[in-house]
Coordinates of all heavy atoms in Angstrom, one line a residue:
M1322 N 79.6 126.8 111.8 CA 79.6 128.2 112.3 C 80.7 128.3 113.4 O 80.8 127.4 114.2 CB 78.2 128.5 112.9 CG 78.1 129.9 113.3 SD 76.4 130.2 113.7 CE 76.6 131.6 114.7
V1323 N 81.4 129.4 113.3 CA 82.5 129.6 114.2 C 82.0 130.4 115.4 O 81.3 131.5 115.2 CB 83.6 130.4 113.5 CG1 84.7 130.8 114.4 CG2 84.1 129.7 112.3
T1324 N 82.3 130.0 116.6 CA 81.8 130.7 117.8 C 83.0 131.4 118.4 O 84.2 131.1 118.1 CB 81.2 129.7 118.8 OG1 82.2 128.8 119.2 CG2 80.0 129.0 118.1
A1325 N 82.7 132.2 119.3 CA 83.8 133.0 120.0 C 84.6 132.0 120.8 O 85.9 132.1 121.0 CB 83.2 134.0 121.0
S1326 N 84.0 130.9 121.4 CA 84.8 129.9 122.1 C 85.8 129.2 121.3 O 86.9 129.0 121.7 CB 83.8 128.9 122.7 OG 84.4 127.9 123.4
S1327 N 85.4 128.8 120.1 CA 86.4 128.1 119.2 C 87.5 129.0 118.7 O 88.6 128.6 118.6 CB 85.6 127.5 118.0 OG 85.0 128.5 117.2
I1328 N 87.2 130.3 118.5 CA 88.2 131.3 118.1 C 89.2 131.4 119.3 O 90.4 131.5 119.1 CB 87.6 132.6 117.7 CG1 86.8 132.5 116.4 CG2 88.7 133.7 117.6 CD1 86.1 133.7 116.0
H1329 N 88.7 131.5 120.5 CA 89.5 131.7 121.7 C 90.4 130.4 121.8 O 91.6 130.6 122.1 CB 88.7 131.9 122.9 CG 89.5 132.0 124.2 ND1 90.3 133.0 124.4 CD2 89.6 131.1 125.2 CE1 90.9 132.8 125.6 NE2 90.5 131.7 126.1
R1330 N 89.9 129.2 121.7 CA 90.7 128.0 121.8 C 91.8 128.0 120.7 O 92.9 127.6 121.0 CB 89.8 126.8 121.7 CG 89.0 126.5 123.0 CD 88.4 125.1 123.0 NE 87.8 124.7 121.7 CZ 86.5 124.8 121.4 NH1 85.7 125.3 122.3 NH2 86.1 124.4 120.3
L1331 N 91.4 128.3 119.5 CA 92.4 128.3 118.4 C 93.5 129.4 118.7 O 94.7 129.1 118.5 CB 91.7 128.6 117.1 CG 92.6 128.7 115.9 CD1 93.3 127.4 115.6 CD2 91.8 129.1 114.6
S1332 N 93.1 130.5 119.1 CA 94.1 131.6 119.5 C 95.1 131.1 120.6 O 96.3 131.3 120.5 CB 93.4 132.9 119.9 OG 94.3 133.8 120.3
H1333 N 94.5 130.5 121.6 CA 95.3 130.0 122.7 C 96.3 128.9 122.2 O 97.5 128.9 122.5 CB 94.5 129.4 123.8 CG 95.2 128.8 124.9 ND1 96.0 129.6 125.8 CD2 95.4 127.5 125.3 CE1 96.6 128.8 126.6 NE2 96.2 127.5 126.4
A1334 N 95.8 128.0 121.3 CA 96.7 127.0 120.7 C 97.8 127.6 119.9 O 99.0 127.1 120.0 CB 95.9 126.0 119.9
V1335 N 97.6 128.6 119.1 CA 98.6 129.3 118.4 C 99.6 129.9 119.3 O 100.8 129.8 119.1 CB 98.0 130.3 117.4 CG1 99.0 131.2 116.8 CG2 97.2 129.6 116.3
D1336 N 99.2 130.5 120.4 CA 100.1 131.1 121.3 C 101.0 130.1 122.0 O 102.2 130.3 122.2 CB 99.3 131.9 122.4 CG 98.7 133.2 121.9 OD1 99.1 133.7 120.8 OD2 97.7 133.7 122.6
V1337 N 100.4 129.0 122.3 CA 101.2 127.9 123.0 C 102.3 127.4 122.0 O 103.5 127.2 122.4 CB 100.3 126.7 123.4 CG1 101.1 125.5 123.8 CG2 99.5 127.2 124.6
I1338 N 101.9 127.2 120.7 CA 102.9 126.7 119.7 C 104.0 127.7 119.5 O 105.2 127.4 119.4 CB 102.2 126.4 118.4 CG1 101.3 125.2 118.6 CG2 103.2 126.2 117.3 CD1 100.3 124.9 117.4
E1339 N 103.6 129.0 119.4 CA 104.6 130.1 119.2 C 105.6 130.1 120.4 O 106.8 130.2 120.2 CB 103.9 131.4 119.1 CG 104.9 132.5 118.8 CD 104.2 133.9 118.6 OE1 102.9 133.9 118.6 OE2 104.9 134.9 118.4
N1340 N 105.1 130.0 121.6 CA 106.0 130.1 122.8 C 106.9 128.9 122.8 O 108.1 129.0 123.2 CB 105.1 130.1 124.1 CG 104.5 131.4 124.3 OD1 104.9 132.4 123.8 ND2 103.4 131.4 125.1
Q1341 N 106.4 127.7 122.4 CA 107.3 126.5 122.4 C 108.4 126.6 121.4 O 109.5 126.2 121.6 CB 106.5 125.3 122.2 CG 105.6 124.9 123.3 CD 104.7 123.7 123.0 OE1 104.5 123.3 121.8 NE2 104.0 123.2 124.0
S1342 N 108.1 127.2 120.2 CA 109.0 127.3 119.2 C 110.1 128.4 119.5 O 111.2 128.3 118.9 CB 108.4 127.7 117.8 OG 107.8 129.0 117.9
Q1343 N 109.8 129.4 120.3 CA 110.8 130.4 120.7 C 111.6 130.1 121.9 O 112.5 130.9 122.2 CB 110.1 131.8 120.8 CG 109.5 132.3 119.5 CD 108.9 133.6 119.6 OE1 108.8 134.2 120.7 NE2 108.5 134.2 118.5
Q1344 N 111.3 129.1 122.6 CA 112.0 128.8 123.9 C 113.5 128.4 123.6 O 114.4 128.9 124.4 CB 111.4 127.6 124.6 CG 110.1 128.1 125.3 CD 109.4 126.9 126.1 OE1 109.8 125.8 125.9 NE2 108.4 127.2 126.8
G1345 N 113.8 127.7 122.6 CA 115.2 127.3 122.3 C 115.9 128.4 121.5 O 117.1 128.2 121.3
R1346 N 115.3 129.4 121.1 CA 116.0 130.5 120.3 C 116.7 131.5 121.2 O 116.0 132.1 122.1 CB 114.9 131.2 119.5 CG 115.5 132.2 118.5 CD 114.4 132.7 117.6 NE 114.9 133.9 116.9 CZ 114.3 135.1 117.0 NH1 113.3 135.3 117.7 NH2 114.8 136.1 116.4
P1347 N 118.0 131.7 121.0 CA 118.7 132.6 121.9 C 118.3 134.1 121.5 O 117.9 134.4 120.4 CB 120.2 132.4 121.6 CG 120.2 131.7 120.2 CD 118.9 131.0 120.1
F1348 N 118.5 135.0 122.4 CA 118.2 136.4 122.3 C 119.4 137.0 121.5 O 120.5 136.9 122.0 CB 118.0 137.0 123.6 CG 117.4 138.4 123.6 CD1 116.1 138.6 123.2 CD2 118.1 139.5 124.0 CE1 115.5 139.8 123.2 CE2 117.5 140.7 123.9 CZ 116.2 140.9 123.6
K1349 N 119.2 137.6 120.4 CA 120.3 138.1 119.6 C 120.4 139.6 119.7 O 119.4 140.3 119.4 CB 120.1 137.7 118.1 CG 121.3 138.0 117.3 CD 121.2 137.3 115.9 CE 122.4 137.6 115.1 NZ 122.3 136.9 113.8
V1350 N 121.6 140.1 120.0 CA 121.9 141.6 120.1 C 123.0 141.9 119.1 O 124.0 141.2 119.1 CB 122.3 142.0 121.6 CG1 122.6 143.4 121.6 CG2 121.2 141.6 122.6
V1351 N 122.8 143.0 118.4 CA 123.7 143.4 117.4 C 124.1 144.9 117.6 O 123.3 145.7 117.9 CB 123.1 143.3 115.9 CG1 124.0 143.9 114.9 CG2 122.8 141.9 115.6
Q1352 N 125.5 145.2 117.5 CA 125.9 146.5 117.6 C 126.3 147.1 116.2 O 127.0 146.4 115.5 CB 127.2 146.6 118.5 CG 126.9 146.4 120.0 CD 128.1 146.7 120.8 OE1 129.2 147.2 120.3 NE2 128.1 146.3 122.1
V1353 N 125.8 148.2 115.9 CA 126.0 148.9 114.6 C 126.6 150.2 114.8 O 126.0 151.0 115.6 CB 124.6 149.0 113.8 CG1 124.8 149.7 112.5 CG2 124.0 147.6 113.6
S1354 N 127.7 150.5 114.1 CA 128.3 151.8 114.2 C 127.7 152.8 113.3 O 127.3 152.4 112.1 CB 129.8 151.7 113.9 OG 130.5 150.9 114.8
R1355 N 127.5 154.0 113.7 CA 126.9 155.0 112.8 C 127.3 156.4 113.3 O 127.6 156.6 114.5 CB 125.4 154.9 112.8 CG 124.6 155.5 113.9 CD 123.1 155.5 113.6 NE 122.6 156.8 113.4 CZ 121.5 157.3 113.9 NH1 120.8 156.5 114.7 NH2 121.1 158.5 113.7
G1356 N 127.4 157.3 112.4 CA 127.7 158.7 112.7 C 126.4 159.4 113.3 O 125.3 158.9 113.1
Y1357 N 126.7 160.5 114.0 CA 125.6 161.2 114.6 C 124.6 161.7 113.6 O 123.4 161.7 113.8 CB 126.1 162.4 115.4 CG 126.8 162.0 116.7 CD1 128.1 162.1 116.8 CD2 126.0 161.5 117.7 CE1 128.7 161.8 118.0 CE2 126.6 161.1 118.9 CZ 128.0 161.3 119.1 OH 128.6 160.9 120.2
H1358 N 125.0 162.1 112.4 CA 124.2 162.7 111.4 C 123.8 161.6 110.3 O 123.1 162.0 109.3 CB 124.8 163.9 110.7 CG 125.1 165.0 111.7 ND1 124.1 165.7 112.3 CD2 126.2 165.4 112.3 CE1 124.6 166.6 113.2 NE2 125.9 166.4 113.2
Q1359 N 124.2 160.4 110.4 CA 124.0 159.4 109.5 C 122.6 158.8 109.7 O 122.1 158.7 110.8 CB 125.0 158.2 109.6 CG 124.8 157.2 108.5 CD 125.8 156.1 108.7 OE1 126.5 155.9 109.7 NE2 126.0 155.3 107.6
D1360 N 121.9 158.5 108.6 CA 120.6 158.0 108.7 C 120.6 156.6 109.3 O 121.5 155.8 108.9 CB 120.0 157.9 107.2 CG 118.6 157.2 107.2 OD1 117.8 157.6 108.1 OD2 118.3 156.4 106.3
P1361 N 119.8 156.3 110.3 CA 119.9 154.9 110.9 C 119.6 153.8 110.0 O 120.2 152.7 110.1 CB 118.8 155.0 112.0 CG 118.1 156.3 111.9 CD 118.8 157.1 110.9
D1362 N 118.7 154.0 109.0 CA 118.4 152.9 108.1 C 119.6 152.7 107.2 O 119.9 151.5 106.8 CB 117.2 153.3 107.2 CG 115.9 153.3 108.0 OD1 115.8 152.5 109.0 OD2 115.0 154.0 107.7
A1363 N 120.3 153.7 106.8 CA 121.5 153.6 106.0 C 122.6 152.8 106.8 O 123.3 152.0 106.2 CB 122.0 154.9 105.5
A1364 N 122.7 153.1 108.0 CA 123.7 152.4 108.9 C 123.4 150.9 109.0 O 124.3 150.1 108.9 CB 123.8 153.1 110.3
L1365 N 122.1 150.6 109.2 CA 121.7 149.2 109.2 C 121.9 148.5 107.9 O 122.4 147.4 107.9 CB 120.2 149.2 109.6 CG 119.9 149.4 111.1 CD1 118.3 149.5 111.3 CD2 120.5 148.4 112.0
H1366 N 121.6 149.2 106.8 CA 121.8 148.6 105.5 C 123.3 148.3 105.3 O 123.6 147.2 104.8 CB 121.3 149.5 104.4 CG 121.5 149.1 103.0 ND1 120.8 148.0 102.5 CD2 122.4 149.5 102.1 CE1 121.3 147.8 101.2 NE2 122.2 148.7 101.0
C1367 N 124.1 149.2 105.6 CA 125.6 149.1 105.5 C 126.1 147.9 106.4 O 126.9 147.1 105.9 CB 126.2 150.4 105.9 SG 128.0 150.4 105.7
H1368 N 125.6 147.8 107.6 CA 126.0 146.8 108.5 C 125.6 145.4 108.0 O 126.3 144.4 108.0 CB 125.5 147.0 109.9 CG 125.9 145.9 110.9 ND1 127.1 145.9 111.5 CD2 125.2 144.9 111.3 CE1 127.2 144.8 112.2 NE2 126.1 144.2 112.2
Y1369 N 124.3 145.3 107.6 CA 123.8 144.1 107.1 C 124.4 143.6 105.8 O 124.5 142.4 105.5 CB 122.3 144.1 106.9 CG 121.5 144.2 108.2 CD1 120.3 144.9 108.3 CD2 122.0 143.7 109.4 CE1 119.6 145.0 109.5 CE2 121.3 143.8 110.6 CZ 120.1 144.4 110.6 OH 119.4 144.5 111.8
A1370 N 124.9 144.6 105.0 CA 125.6 144.2 103.7 C 126.9 143.5 104.1 O 127.3 142.6 103.4 CB 125.9 145.5 102.9
A1371 N 127.6 143.9 105.2 CA 128.8 143.3 105.6 C 128.6 142.1 106.5 O 129.4 141.2 106.5 CB 129.7 144.3 106.4
H1372 N 127.5 142.0 107.2 CA 127.2 140.9 108.1 C 125.7 140.4 107.9 O 124.9 140.7 108.7 CB 127.4 141.4 109.5 CG 128.8 141.8 109.8 ND1 129.8 141.0 110.0 CD2 129.3 143.1 109.9 CE1 130.9 141.6 110.2 NE2 130.6 142.9 110.2
P1373 N 125.5 139.7 106.9 CA 124.1 139.2 106.6 C 123.6 138.3 107.7 O 122.4 138.2 107.9 CB 124.1 138.5 105.3 CG 125.6 138.3 105.0 CD 126.4 139.3 105.8
E1374 N 124.5 137.7 108.5 CA 124.0 136.8 109.6 C 123.4 137.6 110.7 O 122.7 137.0 111.5 CB 125.2 136.0 110.1 CG 126.2 136.8 110.9 CD 127.3 137.5 110.0 OE1 127.2 137.5 108.8 OE2 128.2 138.1 110.6
D1375 N 123.5 138.9 110.8 CA 123.0 139.7 111.8 C 121.5 140.1 111.5 O 120.8 140.6 112.4 CB 123.8 141.0 112.1 CG 125.1 140.7 112.7 OD1 125.2 139.6 113.3 OD2 126.0 141.6 112.7
R1376 N 121.0 139.8 110.4 CA 119.6 140.1 110.1 C 118.7 139.3 111.0 O 119.0 138.2 111.4 CB 119.3 139.7 108.6 CG 120.0 140.6 107.6 CD 119.5 140.3 106.2 NE 120.3 141.0 105.2 CZ 120.1 142.3 104.9 NH1 119.1 142.9 105.4 NH2 120.8 142.8 104.0
G1377 N 117.6 139.9 111.4 CA 116.6 139.3 112.3 C 117.0 139.4 113.7 O 116.5 138.6 114.5
A1378 N 117.9 140.3 114.1 CA 118.3 140.4 115.5 C 117.1 141.0 116.3 O 116.3 141.7 115.8 CB 119.5 141.4 115.6
D1379 N 117.1 140.6 117.6 CA 116.0 141.0 118.5 C 116.3 142.4 118.9 O 115.3 143.2 119.1 CB 116.0 140.1 119.7 CG 115.6 138.7 119.3 OD1 114.6 138.5 118.6 OD2 116.3 137.8 119.7
V1380 N 117.5 142.8 119.1 CA 117.9 144.2 119.6 C 119.0 144.7 118.8 O 120.0 144.0 118.5 CB 118.3 144.2 121.1 CG1 118.7 145.5 121.5 CG2 117.2 143.7 121.9
V1381 N 118.9 146.0 118.3 CA 120.0 146.7 117.6 C 120.5 147.8 118.5 O 119.7 148.7 118.9 CB 119.6 147.2 116.3 CG1 120.7 148.0 115.6 CG2 119.2 146.0 115.4
I1382 N 121.8 147.8 118.8 CA 122.4 148.9 119.6 C 123.3 149.7 118.7 O 124.2 149.2 118.0 CB 123.2 148.3 120.8 CG1 122.3 147.6 121.7 CG2 124.0 149.5 121.5 CD1 123.1 146.8 122.8
F1383 N 123.0 151.0 118.6 CA 123.9 151.9 117.8 C 125.0 152.4 118.6 O 124.9 152.9 119.7 CB 123.1 153.1 117.3 CG 122.1 152.7 116.2 CD1 120.7 152.8 116.4 CD2 122.5 152.4 114.9 CE1 119.8 152.4 115.4 CE2 121.7 152.1 113.9 CZ 120.3 152.1 114.1
R1384 N 126.3 152.2 118.0 CA 127.5 152.8 118.6 C 127.8 154.0 117.8 O 128.2 153.9 116.6 CB 128.6 151.7 118.5 CG 129.5 151.6 119.6 CD 130.5 150.5 119.5 NE 130.9 150.3 118.1 CZ 131.3 149.1 117.7 NH1 131.4 148.1 118.4 NH2 131.7 149.0 116.4
F1385 N 127.7 155.2 118.4 CA 127.9 156.4 117.6 C 129.4 156.8 117.6 O 130.1 156.6 118.5 CB 127.1 157.6 118.3 CG 125.6 157.4 118.1 CD1 124.9 156.8 119.0 CD2 125.0 158.0 117.0 CE1 123.5 156.7 118.9 CE2 123.7 157.9 116.8 CZ 122.9 157.2 117.7
Y1386 N 129.8 157.4 116.5 CA 131.1 158.0 116.3 C 131.0 159.4 115.8 O 129.9 159.7 115.2 CB 132.0 157.1 115.4 CG 131.5 157.0 114.0 CD1 131.9 157.9 113.0 CD2 130.7 155.9 113.6 CE1 131.4 157.7 111.7 CE2 130.2 155.8 112.3 CZ 130.6 156.7 111.4 OH 130.2 156.5 110.1
D1387 N 132.0 160.2 116.0 CA 132.0 161.5 115.5 C 132.0 161.6 114.0 O 132.8 160.9 113.3 CB 133.2 162.3 116.1 CG 133.1 163.8 115.9 OD1 132.0 164.3 115.6 OD2 134.1 164.5 116.2
D1388 N 131.1 162.3 113.4 CA 131.0 162.4 111.9 C 132.3 162.9 111.2 O 132.6 162.6 110.1 CB 129.8 163.3 111.5 CG 128.5 162.6 111.7 OD1 128.5 161.3 111.8 OD2 127.5 163.3 111.7
V1389 N 133.0 163.8 112.0 CA 134.2 164.4 111.4 C 135.3 163.3 111.3 O 136.0 163.2 110.3 CB 134.7 165.5 112.3 CG1 136.0 166.1 111.7 CG2 133.6 166.6 112.3
G1390 N 135.5 162.5 112.3 CA 136.5 161.4 112.3 C 136.0 160.2 111.6 O 134.9 160.1 111.2
A1391 N 136.9 159.2 111.6 CA 136.5 157.9 111.0 C 135.9 157.0 112.0 O 136.2 157.1 113.2 CB 137.7 157.3 110.4
A1392 N 135.1 156.1 111.6 CA 134.4 155.2 112.5 C 135.4 154.2 112.9 O 136.2 153.6 112.1 CB 133.2 154.5 111.8
D1393 N 135.5 153.9 114.2 CA 136.3 152.7 114.6 C 135.5 151.5 114.6 O 135.2 150.8 115.5 CB 136.8 153.0 116.0 CG 135.8 153.0 117.1 OD1 134.6 153.0 116.7 OD2 136.1 152.9 118.3
D1394 N 135.1 151.2 113.3 CA 134.2 150.1 113.1 C 134.9 148.8 113.0 O 135.6 148.6 112.0 CB 133.4 150.4 111.8 CG 132.3 149.4 111.6 OD1 131.9 148.7 112.5 OD2 131.7 149.4 110.5
D1395 N 134.9 148.0 114.0 CA 135.6 146.7 114.0 C 134.8 145.7 113.3 O 135.2 144.5 113.2 CB 135.9 146.3 115.4 CG 134.7 146.2 116.3 OD1 133.6 146.4 115.9 OD2 135.0 146.0 117.5
C1396 N 133.6 146.0 112.8 CA 132.8 145.0 112.1 C 133.1 145.0 110.6 O 132.7 144.1 109.9 CB 131.3 145.2 112.3 SG 130.6 146.6 111.4
G1397 N 133.9 145.9 110.1 CA 134.4 145.9 108.7 C 133.3 146.2 107.7 O 133.3 145.7 106.6
A1398 N 132.4 147.1 108.1 CA 131.3 147.5 107.2 C 131.9 148.2 106.0 O 132.9 149.0 106.1 CB 130.4 148.5 107.9
P1399 N 131.4 148.0 104.8 CA 131.9 148.6 103.6 C 131.7 150.2 103.6 O 130.8 150.7 104.3 CB 131.1 148.0 102.5 CG 129.9 147.5 103.1 CD 130.2 147.2 104.5
T1400 N 132.5 150.9 102.8 CA 132.3 152.3 102.7 C 131.8 152.6 101.3 O 132.0 151.8 100.4 CB 133.7 153.0 102.9 OG1 134.6 152.5 102.0 CG2 134.2 152.8 104.4
G1401 N 131.3 153.8 101.1 CA 130.8 154.1 99.8 C 129.6 154.9 99.9 O 129.1 155.2 101.0
P1402 N 128.9 155.3 98.8 CA 127.8 156.2 98.8 C 126.6 155.6 99.6 O 125.8 156.2 100.2 CB 127.4 156.4 97.4 CG 128.5 155.9 96.6 CD 129.4 155.0 97.5
A1403 N 126.4 154.2 99.5 CA 125.3 153.6 100.2 C 125.5 153.6 101.7 O 124.5 153.6 102.4 CB 125.2 152.1 99.7
C1404 N 126.7 153.8 102.2 CA 127.0 153.8 103.6 C 127.1 155.2 104.2 O 127.5 155.3 105.3 CB 128.2 153.0 103.9 SG 128.1 151.2 103.4
G1405 N 127.0 156.2 103.3 CA 127.0 157.6 103.8 C 128.5 158.1 103.9 O 128.7 159.1 104.4
T1406 N 129.4 157.3 103.4 CA 130.8 157.8 103.3 C 131.3 157.6 101.9 O 130.8 156.9 101.1 CB 131.7 157.0 104.3 OG1 131.6 155.6 103.9 CG2 131.2 157.2 105.7
S1407 N 132.4 158.4 101.6 CA 133.0 158.2 100.3 C 134.4 157.9 100.4 O 135.1 157.8 101.3 CB 132.8 159.5 99.5 OG 133.3 160.6 100.3

C-alpha cells in the first residue's frame, strides 16, 4: 500500500535528480526575427527550419522588423509561403 509519506519521499527524490541533471546545462537564449503582422508560430517554424540546433531553447526573443521592408535577418532563415514571405 502506498502512503502519503512514500509518495512525498519519491517526489523529493525525483526533484533532486532533476536538479542535478540540469545543473550542467547552460541557459539557451535564441533571437528570432519576425514581422509585426507575422504569426509568431510561423516565425519560429521558419527559424527552426534554418537552425534546428536552436530547438529546445529556454528563452525566445523576437526581433521585430517592419512588414513593408525586408527583414535584416542575419540568421539566414528561408523565405517562402511557410515563412510568411514570397
Side-chain angles (χ1 to χ4, degrees):
M1322 183 170 162
V1323 178
T1324 64
S1326 175
S1327 62
I1328 292 174
H1329 178 70
R1330 284 195 316 265
L1331 180 61
S1332 175
H1333 178 70
V1335 168
D1336 290 341
V1337 168
I1338 293 170
E1339 183 178 358
N1340 288 337
Q1341 289 174 349
S1342 68
Q1343 291 182 356
Q1344 284 178 351
R1346 184 172 167 241
F1348 195 69
K1349 187 171 183 179
V1350 178
V1351 174
Q1352 287 189 10
V1353 176
S1354 294
R1355 80 174 251 224
Y1357 287 109
H1358 300 290
Q1359 184 181 15
D1360 180 43
D1362 291 332
L1365 284 173
H1366 175 73
C1367 183
H1368 179 82
Y1369 291 150
H1372 301 282
E1374 71 277 5
D1375 287 344
R1376 292 186 188 275
D1379 297 309
V1380 176
V1381 175
I1382 298 173
F1383 286 110
R1384 217 175 37 205
F1385 288 93
Y1386 62 89
D1387 195 10
D1388 284 340
V1389 177
D1393 66 348
D1394 189 14
D1395 55 6
C1396 75
T1400 58
C1404 297
T1406 59
S1407 53

